[in-house]
């Protein structure tokens, strides 16, 4: 398995310049703390090695061809990670240069710049006390400033939860497994995953994995939720609530396919909404997340089924925006 180094403040324009060359090009510019700041990536690696008995060299020196270095930060930090840091690495002895520079744009809050000094912010402990961590993770990835400036609004956050997580993903999981619980004694029905579905799922692993490795998380989660919508379409077209009256075997075949889709969605979505995916793996007794097609055998018992996501009442939109204004006034 290759080494992965991740650095950044929250990444690679084009090329690198030695500091001397930079100084000649920009004689009126001065660079202060950022030389020491970015050097911390290397010094922290050496300190980690000294404290743990590990080796810093594979990440920076000896196994450079086996290491992928990711630098993740905001767009205001691009020059320091694409010019200053590569120059320092070259000057220090041709150390491993950045491979993936992932530069996010800016996110505002209800149309205004975040400001902790003015108490115009969403505090992590506070939001976690009222909402599921997966809801927050999903929104910040699906609506994050990956390629352009975006805005965090309570309206969009709540509609995102109700529409995508609950209405699309959670609904597909719940109606499939609840149907099995009610009509098949909680046992995964007999069936076979068609070759077409196998190819589709395997393709989703390849495409999603490539996007994640490239740091294009927004595209990756959009791709998976296109798959979720396709799965819901399959469920609706097969009409298992009608099939159960005409042919229990046909109904079972449909639900067997849906279970395989759910199991693989729990793997594909694990990097994004891990808590919900862990619940699904418990429902279906899936041991560990893997990045490959998995099959849940027929007659496996569905355990401790419960709803993954609860609907958030839209009245919370006004409540949250009012709280935000009051919070600002209390600074």
């Amino acid at each position: 398995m290759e080494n992965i180094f991740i650095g950044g403040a929250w990444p690679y324009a084009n090329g690198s310049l030695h500091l001397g060359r930079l100084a000649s090009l920009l004689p009126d510019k001065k660079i202060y703390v950022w030389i020491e700041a970015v050097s911390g990536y290397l010094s922290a690696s050496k300190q980690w090695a000294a404290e743990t008995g590990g080796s810093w060299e594979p990440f920076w020196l000896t196994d450079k061809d086996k290491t992928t270095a990711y630098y993740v930060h905001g767009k205001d930090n691009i020059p320091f990670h694409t010019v200053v840091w590569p120059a320092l690495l070259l000057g220090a002895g041709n150390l491993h240069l950045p491979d993936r520079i992932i530069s996010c744009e800016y996110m505002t809050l209800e149309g205004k710049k975040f400001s902790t000094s003015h108490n115009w912010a969403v505090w992590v402990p506070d939001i976690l006390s009222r909402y599921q961590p997966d809801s927050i993770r999903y929104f910040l990835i699906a609506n994050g400033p990956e390629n352009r400036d975006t805005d965090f609004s309570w309206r969009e956050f709540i509609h995102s939860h109700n529409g995508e997580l609950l209405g699309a993903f959670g609904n597909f999981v719940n109606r499939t497994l609840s149907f099995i619980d009610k009509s098949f004694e909680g046992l995964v029905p007999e069936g076979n995953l068609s070759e077409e579905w196998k190819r589709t799922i395997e393709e989703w692993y390849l495409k999603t994995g490539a996007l994640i490795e490239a740091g294009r998380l927004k595209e990756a989660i959009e791709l998976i939720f296109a798959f979720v919508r396709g799965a819901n379409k399959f469920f609706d077209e097969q009409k298992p609530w009608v099939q159960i009256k005409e042919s229990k075997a046909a109904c079972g075949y449909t639900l067997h396919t849906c279970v395989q889709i759910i199991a693989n969605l729990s793997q594909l979505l694990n990097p994004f909404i891990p808590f919900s995916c862990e619940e699904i793996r418990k429902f279906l007794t899936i041991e560990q997340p893997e990045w490959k097609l998995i099959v849940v055998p027929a007659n496996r018992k569905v355990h401790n089924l419960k709803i993954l996501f609860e609907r958030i009442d839209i009245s919370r939109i006004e409540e949250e925006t009012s709280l935000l204004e009051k919070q600002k006034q209390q600074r």
Side-chain angles (χ1 to χ4, degrees):
M1 182 178 182
E2 70 172 13
N3 303 311
I4 297 178
F5 171 79
I6 301 178
W10 209 174
Y12 199 25
N14 287 305
S16 61
L17 296 172
H18 289 284
L19 292 180
R21 175 64 173 157
L22 176 64
S24 67
L25 290 174
L26 304 170
D28 298 328
K29 300 295 181 182
K30 294 181 175 63
I31 301 172
Y32 295 100
V33 70
W34 270 100
I35 289 181
E36 290 85 356
V38 291
S39 298
Y41 299 135
L42 179 58
S43 61
S45 298
K46 291 185 176 182
Q47 182 176 348
W48 163 82
E51 292 179 355
T52 65
S55 175
W56 65 271
E57 288 88 351
F59 298 98
W60 296 97
L61 188 62
T62 56
D63 291 334
K64 291 192 292 182
D65 58 330
K66 296 180 181 179
T67 298
T68 301
Y70 289 79
Y71 289 79
V72 185
H73 51 251
K75 61 183 176 182
D76 51 336
N77 290 327
I78 290 174
F80 312 113
H81 292 81
T82 60
V83 178
V84 175
W85 185 228
L88 291 171
L89 291 172
L90 291 171
N94 198 29
L95 298 178
H96 192 96
L97 296 175
D99 296 299
R100 303 276 195 278
I101 301 262
I102 304 168
S103 302
C104 293
E105 304 291 315
Y106 295 142
M107 174 176 275
T108 53
L109 172 58
E110 298 290 354
K112 301 175 185 178
K113 182 180 178 181
F114 275 84
S115 174
T116 55
S117 61
H118 289 84
N119 221 0
W120 190 256
V122 176
W123 304 98
V124 172
D126 181 56
I127 192 173
L128 281 174
S129 70
R130 298 193 301 283
Y131 301 99
Q132 292 176 253
D134 279 351
S135 299
I136 304 164
R137 291 172 63 100
Y138 173 79
F139 182 80
L140 292 177
I141 296 170
N143 300 278
E146 192 170 293
N147 299 310
R148 61 180 177 81
D149 292 351
T150 59
D151 184 61
F152 181 100
S153 77
W154 284 107
R155 176 177 296 277
E156 292 304 317
F157 170 74
I158 289 172
H159 283 303
S160 170
H161 170 93
N162 289 342
E164 293 296 306
L165 282 183
L166 171 64
F169 179 54
N171 183 50
F172 177 65
V173 174
N174 181 253
R175 62 178 178 167
T176 296
L177 299 185
S178 293
F179 205 125
I180 291 171
D181 194 47
K182 179 181 178 180
S183 302
F184 290 84
E185 299 179 341
L187 300 175
V188 176
E190 296 284 347
N192 290 296
L193 189 63
S194 70
E195 289 301 317
E196 182 180 0
W197 271 114
K198 284 182 181 178
R199 286 193 300 270
T200 298
I201 294 170
E202 288 171 345
E203 182 179 336
W204 248 251
Y205 277 108
L206 290 173
K207 288 182 177 180
T208 303
L211 288 170
I212 291 173
E213 288 187 358
R216 293 155 63 184
L217 305 185
K218 185 182 181 77
E219 289 181 58
I221 205 167
E222 287 174 352
L223 181 70
I224 298 171
F225 268 79
F227 183 32
V228 171
R229 288 186 284 275
N232 274 302
K233 182 181 178 183
F234 171 77
F235 190 98
D236 291 337
E237 289 176 344
Q238 295 302 307
K239 297 182 175 63
W241 60 91
V242 174
Q243 288 179 321
I244 193 71
K245 299 174 184 177
E246 300 173 348
S247 170
K248 190 171 183 178
C251 177
Y253 192 93
T254 295
L255 296 174
H256 181 93
T257 298
C258 290
V259 166
Q260 310 313 316
I261 295 171
I262 290 169
N264 285 281
L265 282 172
S266 77
Q267 315 289 63
L268 288 163
L269 283 169
N270 193 67
F272 308 103
I273 49 173
F275 301 100
S276 306
C277 291
E278 183 179 5
E279 290 297 329
I280 292 172
R281 290 193 294 273
K282 290 178 181 177
F283 297 159
L284 299 174
T285 319
I286 300 170
E287 294 298 326
Q288 295 291 334
E290 297 182 83
W291 203 255
K292 64 180 182 180
L293 186 145
I294 59 170
V295 176
V296 177
N299 297 311
R300 177 171 291 180
K301 181 73 174 177
V302 177
H303 293 285
N304 303 318
L305 184 61
K306 61 181 179 180
I307 295 174
L308 290 177
F309 304 101
E310 298 284 352
R311 180 170 297 278
I312 302 173
D313 194 291
I314 59 172
S315 64
R316 297 291 292 277
I317 297 171
E318 185 176 349
E319 291 176 16
E320 293 291 358
T321 52
S322 296
L323 283 172
L324 188 61
E325 290 291 346
K326 290 179 182 177
Q327 172 183 290
K328 181 181 178 182
Q329 294 169 6
Q330 294 170 357
R331 69 182 178 89

